[in-house]
Amino acid sequence: MSIDSMDAFDNQLYIGTNEGMLLLYKIEDMKGRSTTNQVQLDFTTNRGDGRQFKAQLLHKNYFDLQQPKQKGASGRGHVTYIKVSPQINRAFVVIEGNLIVVHSQNLELRDLGQSMIKNVLSFCINEQSFQTPLEICIGLRNQISLYNFSLHPDQLQNTRDIALKNENPQSIALDAMTICAALVSPDMKTGRYSLIQTRHNPAQIQELCNIPKDEVSHPFVKRARNGNFFFNVGICQFTSTVGESKHVPILWEKNIKTSIFLFPYLVSANSSQVFIHSMLNQQEKQDFKFKDHRAICTSTRGDDIRVLLASEKAVYCLKSTGLQYQVEYLLDSRQVDEALQLAKVEHAFLKSRSTQATADSYLVKVKQRVGLLYLQGGDYQAACQQLLDGQMDPREIISLIPGLLLKGSSYEMVHKDCEIVRGRMDQETDQDLINKFKNFMITYLDAVRTEPVAFNLKEEIDTAVLGLLAQVHSKDLIPFIETRTTVNYEAGVSVLTKESCFYALGIFYSFNRETQKAIETWISIENGVTQDSSFPGFSFLMEYLSNLGYHELVMKYAKWALDCDQLKAVCIFTKRPPDEVQSEIISFENVLHLLSDYPFAKKVYLSHLVTERNITEARHHTDYALLLLRELLTMKKQRKPDETLIENTRKEFNDFLIFSNYYDPIPVQSELTHTEYYPEMSILYGRMDQHEKALEILVYKFGDNNKALQYCIDHSKGHYSYKILFIGQLNILLLIK
């Protein structure tokens, strides 16, 4: 007697033999037993006493179908199929092509009356049926039939026959209203895998692919899980119920006789070996020798999942190690991607067996370690994503660089993988690699800042990011300072000073309302006391002072600025905010007093007052006119005067005398007395209503009669009588001349 078929449920094992015998065993609880043969990772062979696991025989029954119990049945022999349906306490058994039904607890034969089915080639149950009527699918010659099995009394009722054209269904699997079948010619030389949609009438048959010639003698189809099947075409091919492949095929050995699905694994066997493949990466995880394979099935009892393998004379058990153990093993082996995939599977299992919180807590811990392993491998993008998904405490990452945690922090590193990372970074000498690592930390900390795990940790995070930006001298340092308000002040000053980021230090002082310290810091750079190549220079400091609202400090540092470059420094006063509230400290008089020792700056400032601010006070206009004149006279006295500059300055002076109505012409005229600036003199005499003198200068000294005539026209102001008067005076002067 030898084993032909097998099925199991919970701790009950059903074995069918080649002599029509059906055996029911109770499998001993194997929890806590030692493992006698460990096979790599995924499964361990547990043989209990050293050769076979212990099982207690509960019942056995020999079915001689020649007995009158089943009229019309003939022959005895092989039990080719066993399928247990524990929900209704029935087991369906195919013996030498005859389908019988027995009670699953005592193996008693149930009387099907006239409904017993003969010449069965293949058989399966709709596993989505959990109560009667139970739908079963039977493969017959040139036909597939659907039946409903019901209790009280036990009977099979035919619901549908699907005719096949000279093809026999050697293997079938059913998922809801879709059948996946291996259809083989009667001579067993050709075959094909097909989907049969029973929702249509007539049923629609969709060919998937041909069965390779060397597989035609032993094709098989299995249901993977909802909406998916897999079958053997030399490789393991998957298909959905609509004919789409949602999984990458798995390359396995030739002559695979059968396989079972135990997500995320496929356990398959040929005549001499057993193979275990992962569906997560389509890789073979392990294999071991197993001769004379006859049957394979799974047995699940709570979290205890077993794979049962039958040889001719014995049954062996592969006990699945827990997924969590497998995940830890993969992580320890640095097989990070696969570990993460497997952890997601365990997460789904935990949700179904426990609570959402328990499942999420497990996955979070795995993602934390995955992130740290990615970090060790230098895959910073993947590390960042996993650490964020894993809700890692930001302080764990901050502590990777010594000195980044706030002084007085009691936080201590938790993860051993973090200690490994920190140790490597302490020994790293390649500055580029160090900077890449720090840039990763910046990216991660900036991203985690808004996550729930960072609640109440913004000061620690922002201070650490500031330190990292300073250490790598990032261009983002200044924008960061200008937008983050939770940086620890003492730590910020310390790290910016230590890293010689003096320009940023001044910004940090300013942002924290330490304006005088900010200015002093920048002056120190400008004076060469400290060095910082990122400092924009003198113009930046001038712009800062021009917008500064602390007028005491403006006046305090304006003198230093004027001593450095009075023409650039005067913008402190000429480019004040338009909506600024004027104060006595920075009044026109005080500014002019300050600028009294800086004539070029004073000229620019006075020009600003009279032309841009439209100040009407005579003394400011007069001072501006005198400054222009004195500048002009000074240039004329130079050994090599710049004629172009002189011409431009004179034009500026001339234009101002014409268009300004507020200066006092007397002091200006007094300084022009001994010069040859006759047009300007005529303008000033005109302002004093001394038109005769003005005309005399233009006619006698300047010698330009046309200009004198134009003077008469300009000063007549459109009045005819004035025009006659002026022209009369001009004629007299010309006659005298």
Side-chain angles (χ1 to χ4, degrees):
M1 183 173 67
S2 62
I3 298 174
D4 269 348
S5 57
M6 178 174 61
D7 196 16
F9 174 75
D10 196 24
N11 64 341
Q12 294 180 324
L13 172 63
Y14 300 81
I15 296 176
T17 73
N18 64 339
E19 295 183 357
M21 183 75 73
L22 191 62
L23 307 170
L24 171 59
Y25 288 91
K26 179 181 179 182
I27 303 173
E28 182 178 300
D29 189 355
M30 292 183 293
K31 287 186 176 180
R33 282 194 172 274
S34 61
T35 298
T36 60
N37 181 23
Q38 186 171 8
V39 185
Q40 291 189 22
L41 164 66
D42 306 302
F43 294 91
T44 55
T45 304
N46 194 323
R47 292 172 176 160
D49 60 359
R51 291 303 304 167
Q52 295 176 310
F53 62 86
K54 291 184 178 181
Q56 177 185 358
L57 179 63
L58 299 179
H59 298 282
K60 64 180 179 178
N61 203 344
Y62 176 76
F63 298 99
D64 184 357
L65 297 187
Q66 291 181 338
Q67 296 179 11
K69 293 179 182 179
Q70 302 283 350
K71 293 182 179 181
S74 61
R76 70 176 69 174
H78 297 280
V79 179
T80 52
Y81 287 95
I82 304 173
K83 187 61 184 177
V84 181
S85 182
Q87 297 89 348
I88 58 174
N89 288 323
R90 295 293 184 268
F92 297 87
V93 183
V94 177
I95 302 178
E96 210 61 37
N98 299 284
L99 177 64
I100 65 173
V101 181
V102 300
H103 196 289
S104 61
Q105 298 301 316
N106 55 27
L107 305 185
E108 290 182 358
L109 181 66
R110 309 301 296 176
D111 188 0
L112 296 179
Q114 300 298 318
S115 61
M116 192 185 74
I117 303 169
K118 297 179 288 184
N119 301 317
V120 176
L121 298 176
S122 53
F123 170 81
C124 69
I125 291 177
N126 188 347
E127 296 181 13
Q128 292 183 333
S129 301
F130 298 105
Q131 56 187 0
T132 58
L134 178 69
E135 186 177 34
I136 63 175
C137 183
I138 301 174
L140 305 169
R141 289 173 183 166
N142 301 324
Q143 178 179 302
I144 294 176
S145 297
L146 295 173
Y147 286 83
N148 282 340
F149 175 79
S150 58
L151 300 172
H152 313 301
D154 292 13
Q155 63 178 0
L156 286 167
Q157 181 179 3
N158 181 253
T159 59
R160 182 117 184 234
D161 291 325
I162 302 169
L164 304 173
K165 294 181 180 180
N166 200 30
E167 291 177 308
N168 295 328
Q170 294 296 327
S171 180
I172 54 177
L174 179 62
D175 188 292
M177 302 182 73
T178 302
I179 301 169
C180 189
L183 306 179
V184 180
S185 62
D187 60 6
M188 300 293 289
K189 291 184 178 180
T190 62
R192 60 176 178 152
Y193 288 106
S194 300
L195 289 178
I196 303 172
Q197 305 294 347
T198 63
R199 62 175 56 85
H200 304 290
N201 193 9
Q204 292 184 357
I205 300 179
Q206 175 187 354
E207 182 175 342
L208 297 175
C209 61
N210 292 327
I211 302 174
K213 290 183 179 181
D214 54 353
E215 306 288 347
V216 171
S217 62
H218 52 272
F220 65 84
V221 175
K222 295 293 180 75
R223 178 177 177 269
R225 48 181 173 174
N226 290 347
N228 288 278
F229 304 97
F230 67 96
F231 49 87
N232 181 27
V233 288
I235 62 174
C236 179
Q237 182 69 51
F238 295 88
T239 183
S240 67
T241 55
V242 294
E244 297 176 349
S245 180
K246 296 183 178 180
H247 298 283
V248 178
I250 293 177
L251 299 177
W252 57 17
E253 295 294 324
K254 293 183 178 180
N255 300 316
I256 296 295
K257 304 298 183 183
T258 187
S259 180
I260 58 170
F261 177 80
L262 185 62
F263 188 78
Y265 300 106
L266 283 179
V267 183
S268 55
N270 59 21
S271 58
S272 60
Q273 282 183 291
V274 173
F275 307 92
I276 300 168
H277 292 81
S278 171
M279 289 185 62
L280 300 179
N281 60 6
Q282 297 77 50
Q283 298 297 311
E284 181 182 309
K285 301 303 297 179
Q286 65 188 87
D287 66 90
F288 52 89
K289 292 182 179 180
F290 190 84
K291 294 184 178 181
D292 197 25
H293 165 74
R294 293 300 182 89
I296 186 171
C297 68
T298 60
S299 173
T300 303
R301 188 176 189 186
D303 296 337
D304 186 16
I305 303 175
R306 311 164 189 171
V307 175
L308 302 177
L309 293 166
S311 65
E312 182 180 356
K313 298 294 184 181
V315 177
Y316 300 91
C317 182
L318 300 179
K319 187 177 179 183
S320 171
T321 59
L323 288 181
Q324 294 188 25
Y325 172 83
Q326 296 179 43
V327 170
E328 288 301 314
Y329 179 91
L330 289 169
L331 291 174
D332 291 340
S333 304
R334 298 299 190 268
Q335 300 177 60
V336 181
D337 294 337
E338 187 176 355
L340 183 58
Q341 289 179 306
L342 201 59
K344 292 177 180 178
V345 175
E346 174 65 3
H347 176 259
F349 288 162
L350 285 174
K351 282 200 299 185
S352 63
R353 299 194 301 261
S354 184
T355 64
Q356 179 76 41
T358 300
D360 290 346
S361 175
Y362 168 73
L363 187 58
V364 157
K365 291 178 180 178
V366 171
K367 287 186 174 183
Q368 288 180 2
R369 190 171 179 204
V370 166
L372 293 174
L373 291 175
Y374 277 136
L375 190 56
Q376 291 179 26
D379 190 344
Y380 296 136
Q381 184 175 0
C384 183
Q385 187 58 56
Q386 293 305 320
L387 292 174
L388 289 173
D389 292 345
Q391 302 173 34
M392 174 72 81
D393 190 318
R395 292 171 296 182
E396 192 79 357
I397 302 302
I398 294 172
S399 60
L400 293 176
I401 300 294
L404 285 185
L405 281 173
L406 290 179
K407 288 185 178 180
S409 174
S410 60
Y411 185 82
E412 295 183 359
M413 188 176 285
V414 175
H415 293 269
K416 292 182 179 179
D417 291 300
C418 277
E419 295 177 359
I420 295 173
V421 174
R422 184 167 63 181
R424 289 181 180 178
M425 293 312 300
D426 288 344
Q427 298 175 4
E428 183 60 63
T429 57
D430 188 327
Q431 193 58 47
D432 287 340
L433 292 178
I434 294 173
N435 287 344
K436 286 181 180 179
F437 179 77
K438 290 179 178 180
N439 282 323
F440 149 75
M441 292 182 63
I442 292 168
T443 301
Y444 165 73
L445 292 172
D446 192 56
V448 80
R449 188 177 187 270
T450 57
E451 297 294 324
V453 71
F455 184 72
N456 286 335
L457 294 177
K458 285 186 172 54
E459 183 182 20
E460 287 90 337
I461 293 172
D462 287 352
T463 304
V465 172
L466 176 72
L468 291 165
L469 289 170
Q471 290 175 13
V472 300
H473 295 278
S474 171
K475 59 182 178 58
D476 297 323
L477 177 58
I478 301 302
F480 178 85
I481 293 173
E482 292 174 341
T483 56
R484 298 293 172 90
T485 60
T486 53
V487 175
N488 181 272
Y489 178 78
E490 289 76 11
V493 171
S494 174
V495 71
L496 291 173
T497 303
K498 178 182 177 182
E499 301 299 330
S500 299
C501 298
F502 298 111
Y503 169 47
L505 176 61
I507 297 292
F508 187 70
Y509 278 137
S510 177
F511 195 71
N512 285 277
R513 301 180 184 276
E514 294 281 359
T515 308
Q516 185 167 353
K517 288 184 178 180
I519 298 171
E520 291 286 355
T521 301
W522 293 324
I523 288 177
S524 178
I525 300 173
E526 187 64 25
N527 288 339
V529 177
T530 57
Q531 304 295 321
D532 188 345
S533 60
S534 66
F535 181 57
F538 186 76
S539 297
F540 162 78
L541 189 47
M542 297 305 97
E543 182 180 359
Y544 181 85
L545 290 171
S546 69
N547 288 283
L548 184 62
Y550 297 103
H551 294 164
E552 295 89 346
L553 294 179
V554 172
M555 297 300 285
K556 177 178 180 179
Y557 292 104
K559 184 171 183 359
W560 167 84
L562 290 164
D563 287 337
C564 292
D565 189 329
Q566 58 177 296
L567 287 179
K568 290 182 178 179
V570 73
C571 71
I572 296 174
F573 305 110
T574 61
K575 297 187 180 299
R576 305 300 302 172
D579 56 348
E580 182 179 47
V581 178
Q582 193 71 21
S583 71
E584 182 63 28
I585 297 172
I586 203 169
S587 65
F588 303 146
E589 289 73 15
N590 285 340
V591 172
L592 287 168
H593 177 72
L594 175 66
L595 298 178
S596 59
D597 294 329
Y598 307 97
F600 297 112
K602 184 176 181 180
K603 171 195 167 185
V604 174
Y605 182 66
L606 284 172
S607 175
H608 165 72
L609 292 182
V610 300
T611 60
E612 296 179 24
R613 299 294 295 269
N614 297 318
I615 300 300
T616 60
E617 291 186 41
R619 60 195 178 94
H620 297 322
H621 283 252
T622 304
D623 285 346
Y624 182 55
L626 289 171
L627 276 175
L628 288 174
L629 176 58
R630 290 165 185 167
E631 182 180 356
L632 185 60
L633 295 175
T634 301
M635 287 189 289
K636 288 287 286 183
K637 293 178 181 179
Q638 293 176 350
R639 293 182 61 184
K640 294 182 179 180
D642 187 335
E643 296 299 333
T644 302
L645 183 59
I646 291 173
E647 182 180 351
N648 291 335
T649 305
R650 182 173 182 179
K651 183 178 184 306
E652 183 181 358
F653 176 57
N654 193 291
D655 291 342
F656 180 75
L657 294 180
I658 293 172
F659 295 109
S660 174
N661 296 318
Y662 304 105
Y663 62 86
D664 183 355
I666 295 174
V668 182
Q669 176 63 37
S670 66
E671 294 203 18
L672 275 175
T673 302
H674 302 292
T675 69
E676 295 181 354
Y677 293 116
Y678 301 120
E680 290 78 5
M681 290 181 188
S682 68
I683 295 171
L684 293 170
Y685 279 125
R687 286 297 175 89
M688 293 184 287
D689 289 330
Q690 297 180 24
H691 302 295
E692 185 176 354
K693 286 186 178 182
L695 290 171
E696 285 178 355
I697 289 175
L698 291 175
V699 174
Y700 295 145
K701 293 186 177 182
F702 193 53
D704 191 335
N705 299 337
N706 291 329
K707 205 166 192 67
L709 178 61
Q710 186 62 44
Y711 179 91
C712 295
I713 295 172
D714 291 340
H715 285 76
S716 64
K717 300 179 181 179
H719 296 284
Y720 183 73
S721 58
Y722 287 177
K723 187 174 181 180
I724 295 298
L725 176 61
F726 284 130
I727 292 176
Q729 290 179 334
L730 178 58
N731 287 330
I732 293 171
L733 292 173
L734 291 173
L735 287 172
I736 295 173
K737 181 179 178 182

